Amino acid sequence: MEQDAQLVQQCLQGDGSAWEELVRRHSRRIFNICYRFTGNRTEAEDLSQEVFLRVYRTVGSYRSAYGGFATWMTSVTRNLLIDHYRRTKRDRITDSLDDSMPVVENKASSARRPDEQALLGELSSQVQSALTKLSPELREAVVLRDLQQLDYSEIQTVLSVPEGTVKSRINRGRIELARILQQMGVRPS
Amino acid sequence: MNWTCEQTELLLTDYLDGLLQPEQQHAFDLHVNSCERCTPLVSNVTHAIAGLRALPELELPPRFVYNVLDATLGPRETVTGWAAVRAWVRGIASPRFAYGSLSLAATFLMLVTISGFNWKKPRIADLSPANIYRGTNRKAQRAYARSTKYVSDLRVVYEIQSKLRQDNGLPANSEGAAPDSNQQKDPGRTDGTNPATPRQQNRANDINTHLEVLAEDLPILSGRFCFAWSGKLISGGLLEGRYR
């Protein structure tokens, strides 16, 4: 955390290598958050790149009092993901109307590359699919808690909601996810 | 404490995170173990969390970092001409690359030499795969034949040595043992002081002849080894004392 703050300071003084180091340290984590939220590799890559562009432009507004740099970056990522969700909502409604037509092929699985399918494995693929069916507010809470392993106070900072709300969203998100998995026929062994 | 299904649902995350008070925990367990609705709920949620935590962390797409750096810091300068060549040479001039290249070259030289390539009169035809194979095969056959002959000759030497010991009634492992100074001189035994009989003299001459023949056949026995072995026999009194 201290190293991040130092790199940010160097960045603000125009040190390009410090910025490169920050990108290398956080890019994988940001990409994974975006992927788990969208369920699409290309979208996740574009969004992650957008996150870094936004961070680069606004790094001067980062204050250590806000929390760690990683938490601040996660917050930027979350805001961008929510913006993206709202922006693409209309497309998804159109997609869901198309999905209601009798189409044999599953759009979600066909959009995924074969190597991606193999990488995920069957259970992982089902969990990822169930995750993208959660509402965005529950999904972000579950992703931050169960995938990014953030504690409640960090999630509270990222989502800008009280801790009680964080707990409630995580709880509801987990129960909803279990219900979706059960509907998909995935049961505990 | 009366516990309801709604309470179970509401406090499930606290239960899974171990944040319930002891009495709440006890009531929760009692209820879940006896409730048909809550037992599968807890099991399914636990399974879902395990599935989430088992999701693999994905690798970054290739060139992601460079794309971000290009988009933020601007494209890197493209190096051309001699500067590009120098940069390329600098790239391959690492110790790891040099070590790997040297190892590869040494291995290649060894293989070519083993295959029978004549470095004094090099010919391109010797480097053809068929010739390399033929030369390597010939060398391997020759080495096998030599080693077979060597083992066979060693066996002959050992048999002669054993026979000599047998004939003189010595134990098989007494060659290196120190002689007993208080040894009794039994009738028919010699200690190197008595002159040998003509028959024993003839046998010693035969053995010497055999050793000379072996030494000619075996290069390894023609040097110090053979003389040392003969000398040992002589100094130990095996030849000198008994057969002369």
Side-chain angles (χ1 to χ4, degrees), chain B residues 102-177:
Chain B
L102 277 174
S103 302
L104 188 68
T107 310
F108 177 74
L109 285 176
M110 277 170 63
L111 284 176
V112 168
T113 308
I114 288 170
S115 71
F117 183 78
N118 190 349
W119 291 99
K120 289 177 182 170
K121 292 177 183 174
R123 288 187 311 165
I124 296 293
D126 290 344
L127 289 173
S128 72
N131 285 343
I132 288 176
Y133 171 75
R134 210 174 294 129
T136 310
N137 189 38
R138 192 168 55 238
K139 289 239 173 185
Q141 296 286 353
R142 198 176 294 163
Y144 178 74
R146 275 183 186 166
S147 59
T148 311
K149 185 174 182 298
Y150 176 70
V151 170
S152 167
D153 291 345
L154 272 183
R155 197 161 55 197
V156 170
V157 171
Y158 180 74
E159 279 172 5
I160 291 169
Q161 193 183 4
S162 302
K163 189 74 179 166
L164 278 174
R165 285 197 186 114
Q166 227 173 19
D167 286 354
N168 291 294
L170 286 173
N173 60 350
S174 65
E175 189 182 332

Side-chain angles (χ1 to χ4, degrees), chain A residues 16 19-20 23-24 27-29 31-32 35-36 41 45 48-49 52-53 56 119-120 123-124 127-128 131 142 145-147 149 152 167 170-171 174-175 177-178 181-182 186-189, chain B residues 7-14 16-17 19 40-41 43-74:
Chain A
W19 169 245
E20 183 176 343
V23 174
R24 288 190 190 281
S27 48
R28 194 172 176 192
R29 191 176 61 83
F31 173 71
N32 272 273
Y35 179 76
R36 293 305 172 202
R41 205 178 170 90
E45 188 176 347
S48 307
Q49 198 164 333
F52 280 101
L53 285 174
Y56 185 75
L119 183 74
L120 285 172
L123 179 64
S124 300
V127 172
Q128 177 62 49
L131 196 58
V142 168
R145 176 66 186 156
D146 290 324
L147 291 175
Q149 315 277 319
Y152 290 126
K167 270 191 184 178
I170 292 169
N171 196 43
R174 285 170 169 178
I175 292 171
L177 187 75
L181 282 171
Q182 199 182 3
V186 183
R187 288 186 169 77
S189 53
Chain B
Q7 280 176 299
T8 303
E9 203 165 300
L10 199 64
L11 294 172
L12 185 53
T13 286
D14 282 349
L16 293 171
D17 288 348
L19 298 173
L41 174 75
S43 167
N44 288 340
V45 170
T46 309
H47 176 65
I49 294 170
L52 276 173
R53 293 187 175 173
L55 284 176
E57 196 182 7
L58 298 183
E59 288 293 333
L60 273 178
R63 295 197 53 79
F64 176 83
V65 172
Y66 294 112
N67 290 341
V68 169
L69 294 177
D70 286 352
T72 50
L73 300 175

Side-chain angles (χ1 to χ4, degrees), chain A residues 26-65:
Chain A
H26 295 281
S27 48
R28 194 172 176 192
R29 191 176 61 83
I30 297 299
F31 173 71
N32 272 273
I33 293 177
C34 292
Y35 179 76
R36 293 305 172 202
F37 193 86
T38 60
N40 182 296
R41 205 178 170 90
T42 313
E43 269 183 59
E45 188 176 347
D46 292 345
L47 284 166
S48 307
Q49 198 164 333
E50 212 172 315
V51 168
F52 280 101
L53 285 174
R54 192 177 283 191
V55 167
Y56 185 75
R57 281 198 299 267
T58 58
V59 71
S61 66
Y62 166 69
R63 299 284 176 273
S64 54

Side-chain angles (χ1 to χ4, degrees), chain A residues 78-113:
Chain A
R78 181 259 174 184
N79 292 338
L80 209 130
L81 286 170
I82 294 297
D83 287 349
H84 172 76
Y85 179 82
R86 287 178 186 145
R87 229 176 23 237
T88 55
K89 197 172 183 180
R90 185 174 296 183
D91 299 340
R92 279 199 309 280
I93 290 168
T94 317
D95 282 353
S96 67
L97 284 174
D98 290 345
D99 287 346
S100 64
M101 302 296 283
V103 179
V104 177
E105 194 179 22
N106 183 338
K107 289 200 84 168
S109 62
S110 65
R112 203 167 279 149
R113 292 184 345 216

Side-chain angles (χ1 to χ4, degrees), chain A residues 117-187:
Chain A
Q117 286 276 15
L119 183 74
L120 285 172
E122 195 180 357
L123 179 64
S124 300
S125 176
Q126 286 166 328
V127 172
Q128 177 62 49
S129 177
L131 196 58
T132 48
K133 285 180 179 147
L134 286 178
S135 68
E137 65 177 18
L138 299 185
R139 197 188 317 165
E140 64 187 6
V142 168
V143 166
L144 294 177
R145 176 66 186 156
D146 290 324
L147 291 175
Q148 293 298 312
Q149 315 277 319
L150 299 190
D151 58 35
Y152 290 126
S153 62
E154 286 173 318
I155 299 172
Q156 186 186 343
T157 310
V158 170
L159 301 183
S160 305
V161 292
E163 189 171 324
T165 311
V166 169
K167 270 191 184 178
S168 165
R169 284 186 188 177
I170 292 169
N171 196 43
R172 279 162 47 213
R174 285 170 169 178
I175 292 171
E176 185 64 14
L177 187 75
R179 192 184 61 75
I180 295 169
L181 282 171
Q182 199 182 3
Q183 282 177 353
M184 289 168 71
V186 183
R187 288 186 169 77

